[in-house]
């Protein structure tokens, strides 16, 4: 597994917003972003590098899964009689 990049909260915020996430609220130093059913919480401490677990969660939320990319099968369409 390749090493994760070391990014700050400001860089993570740019990645999330570019992927279509919206800032829904903030509480203290944490900002909560949402896209459909996916929610990501980013601790926003200026100049600090995010923990690798948080970076992994951000990349998992941004990258769509393979199941999302599969087109519906043509056999699922209703058959006209």
């Amino acid at each position: 597994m390749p090493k994760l990049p070391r990014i700050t909260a400001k860089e993570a915020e740019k990645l999330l917003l570019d992927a279509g996430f919206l800032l829904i609220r903030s509480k203290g130093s944490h900002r909560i972003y949402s896209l459909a059913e996916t929610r990501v919480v980013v601790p926003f401490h200026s100049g600090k590098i995010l923990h690798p677990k948080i970076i992994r969660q951000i990349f998992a939320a941004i990258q769509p899964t393979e199941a999302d990319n599969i087109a519906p099968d043509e056999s699922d369409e209703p058959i006209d009689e």
Side-chain angles (χ1 to χ4, degrees), residues 1-64:
M1 181 173 175
K3 279 190 164 185
L4 293 171
R6 297 173 51 97
I7 61 175
T8 63
K10 196 174 275 194
E11 295 166 335
E13 179 181 46
K14 181 171 177 7
L15 289 173
L16 289 168
L17 293 175
D18 289 346
F21 280 78
L22 298 174
L23 175 65
I24 55 172
R25 64 188 172 97
S26 62
K27 184 172 184 178
S29 61
H30 291 78
R31 295 185 183 176
I32 296 96
Y33 300 89
S34 178
L35 178 68
E37 296 293 318
T38 307
R39 186 182 68 176
V40 180
V41 179
V42 178
F44 217 88
H45 303 285
S46 63
K48 299 275 185 172
I49 301 294
L50 293 175
H51 192 278
K53 287 183 181 180
I54 295 171
I55 296 172
R56 192 174 303 121
Q57 289 174 350
I58 291 168
F59 284 122
I62 290 173
Q63 297 174 349

